[in-house]
Amino acid sequence: TGVQTCALPISKGIFTLEFNSPVNAATTVQISDIVGRVISEQQLVSAQGRSVVSLTTVPLQKGVYSLRVTSDKKHYFRKLIVE
């Protein structure tokens, strides 16, 4: 299990998030700025197995952000760089 992101650093406003879920689960995807403010939050329902989601960074300015994925009581973190 884990989270993978494609196309980092992000320069075209869209990136792909891939993760595996052992069960059908509600999943939350949060993007926070460097001081911890939540900039974007999406609620998803992920099916058991591999899930692929395309997310947009259009409202984000250039900088470094934190990506947090919560699914089935597990938390995964990744750094996002928006160019």
Side-chain angles (χ1 to χ4, degrees), residues 12-73:
K12 299 197 187 269
I14 296 177
F15 70 99
T16 302
L17 176 67
E18 294 183 33
F19 57 95
N20 289 312
S21 181
V23 296
N24 294 344
T27 301
T28 303
V29 178
Q30 286 184 337
I31 298 175
S32 302
D33 65 12
I34 195 104
V35 295
R37 288 180 299 200
V38 176
I39 305 297
S40 172
E41 181 173 300
Q42 289 188 351
Q43 302 291 325
L44 311 168
V45 177
S46 57
Q48 182 177 0
R50 182 174 170 250
S51 294
V52 179
V53 179
S54 291
L55 299 170
T56 181
T57 60
V58 171
L60 302 179
Q61 296 191 15
K62 292 180 182 180
V64 178
Y65 296 87
S66 174
L67 172 70
R68 177 180 175 170
V69 178
T70 304
S71 183
D72 192 35
K73 300 180 185 176

